[in-house]
Amino acid sequence: MSQVFTLCGDDTITLNGHNLINFANDTVAQLTFNSAVSTMTIGKSGSAIVATNEQGKSAELTVRIMRGSDDDKFLNAAFITQKKDLVNADLINGTIVRHIGQGISGGSVARETTVLTGGIFTKQPDNQINISGDAEQGVVTYTLQFATGERTLG
């Protein structure tokens, strides 16, 4: 399951207490839960065996940040710290808060909060150089994997 984020209004992404604000264009973040939360096997006699898959708690967050911005500097410093000494680097914790609903037509607005814990960078930050003026060269993409991602609505 993948959630694509286009932040607006009061929506926020916070990592280790740092509120990200220097987002690129279009899709600024994508949160993906790549594994099933449970599995089922049917036996020969038709009986079902079900099990919890702990990998299903894991979440991958990809964020697109403006290259050279304060957010890029913050994330790059954390990435370098992890790269130098993974065992002693602080794990990354984060929160994504979105305001969702039908507020314009007088409907209800809810707060969707996803709490992310135990995160590490899983890829080198992307880089592009383009002499034709492609705007993507001003964007850096960070990919993080979190041990858990819990979503609540309130």
Side-chain angles (χ1 to χ4, degrees):
M1 178 184 162
S2 178
Q3 296 180 38
V4 175
F5 297 97
T6 303
L7 298 184
C8 57
D10 296 327
D11 298 347
T12 60
I13 297 177
T14 304
L15 298 176
N16 279 3
H18 180 89
N19 190 26
L20 300 179
I21 58 172
N22 303 124
F23 292 108
N25 58 337
D26 300 326
T27 300
V28 298
Q30 186 160 340
L31 182 65
T32 306
F33 294 88
N34 292 317
S35 299
V37 295
S38 58
T39 59
M40 177 186 289
T41 302
I42 306 298
K44 182 177 179 182
S45 65
S47 61
I49 301 170
V50 296
T52 298
N53 180 9
E54 295 298 326
Q55 282 293 114
K57 295 178 182 178
S58 179
E60 181 179 87
L61 176 66
T62 304
V63 291
R64 297 178 65 246
I65 302 293
M66 297 300 298
R67 184 173 306 282
S69 67
D70 288 342
D71 291 345
D72 185 16
K73 292 172 186 172
F74 168 78
L75 291 168
N76 192 60
F79 174 76
I80 289 170
T81 299
Q82 176 189 303
K83 191 173 171 181
K84 284 182 181 177
D85 189 0
L86 177 61
V87 175
N88 287 313
D90 290 333
L91 294 177
I92 298 168
N93 297 310
T95 306
I96 301 170
V97 178
R98 301 185 70 206
H99 293 80
I100 57 175
Q102 301 174 352
I104 293 175
S105 61
S108 64
V109 176
R111 173 178 256 169
E112 176 188 69
T113 303
T114 304
V115 176
L116 304 165
T117 59
I120 60 169
F121 294 94
T122 57
K123 293 183 181 177
Q124 189 86 6
D126 289 340
N127 194 354
Q128 180 190 79
I129 298 171
N130 183 304
I131 61 171
S132 299
D134 185 351
E136 288 300 306
Q137 67 186 337
V139 177
V140 61
T141 302
Y142 288 92
T143 304
L144 301 99
Q145 186 77 32
F146 292 89
T148 64
E150 293 290 327
R151 177 179 177 254
T152 60
L153 292 173

